[in-house]
Amino acid sequence: MEESSKVVHAIYTDDDTLMSAVKKVKAEKYHIEEVFTPFPVHGLDKAMGLAPTRIAIASFLYGLTGLTVAILMMNYMMIEDWPQNIGGKPSFSYFHNMPAFIPIMFELTVFFAAHLMVITFYLRSKIWPFRKPQNPDPRTTDDHFLMEVAVDGNESELLKLLNGTGAVEVNLVDKAH
């Protein structure tokens, strides 16, 4: 078995125990490949040393795209293409009709931001239709937490460390298979 394809799976039954274990493993300078949890664990990304996400910036840009589409669409439809006199409102200026257009601008801003964020999340996570699940242990979708740590010629020390962190199960696994 090639050394670089081996990982250790440490399974926990409590999120606080997992957080403590992640901090101990990081303090010992081991590389945590991934952590699988049945629900989001607050502060786990910071404890693992992950970089902050830029998804809020993407959301803002998607919202601006939606707002721009709404403004251009309403200006073309209601002012340029087919101006109508609705309730005595002037049909020659977008600016004079803007209060009536605010709900449409809001809805398209939210629509674009929400839908493009979901698409971005799926593409970024490499989740697409018909992709085989990558979960190493189905119990992590119910009530267990799994920490996957890379083995780099330090197998016995790593197993000893993980057994001392409160793991209910520690397994050496070959990721190549």
Side-chain angles (χ1 to χ4, degrees), residues 51-77:
T53 180
R54 294 184 304 267
I55 205 152
I57 297 168
S59 179
F60 179 72
L61 294 175
Y62 296 153
L64 282 180
T65 302
L67 180 64
T68 303
V69 167
I71 290 170
L72 293 174
M73 178 187 75
M74 289 181 299
N75 185 57
Y76 175 73
M77 284 187 213

Side-chain angles (χ1 to χ4, degrees), residues 17-81:
T17 309
L18 171 74
M19 281 293 289
S20 173
V22 166
K23 290 174 184 174
K24 286 178 187 173
V25 169
K26 290 303 280 184
E28 293 292 326
K29 306 284 190 235
Y30 288 102
H31 176 67
I32 299 173
E33 294 281 336
E34 188 65 77
V35 175
F36 297 88
T37 64
F39 54 83
V41 178
H42 180 70
L44 185 60
D45 52 342
K46 186 177 178 189
M48 288 177 63
L50 299 177
T53 180
R54 294 184 304 267
I55 205 152
I57 297 168
S59 179
F60 179 72
L61 294 175
Y62 296 153
L64 282 180
T65 302
L67 180 64
T68 303
V69 167
I71 290 170
L72 293 174
M73 178 187 75
M74 289 181 299
N75 185 57
Y76 175 73
M77 284 187 213
M78 301 298 288
I79 307 302
E80 293 176 20
D81 185 42

Side-chain angles (χ1 to χ4, degrees), residues 122-139:
Y122 285 145
L123 291 175
R124 193 77 180 108
S125 301
K126 297 179 182 160
I127 301 174
W128 28 75
F130 312 112
R131 183 167 188 254
K132 188 177 173 190
Q134 302 295 312
N135 192 347
D137 192 328
R139 294 178 291 176

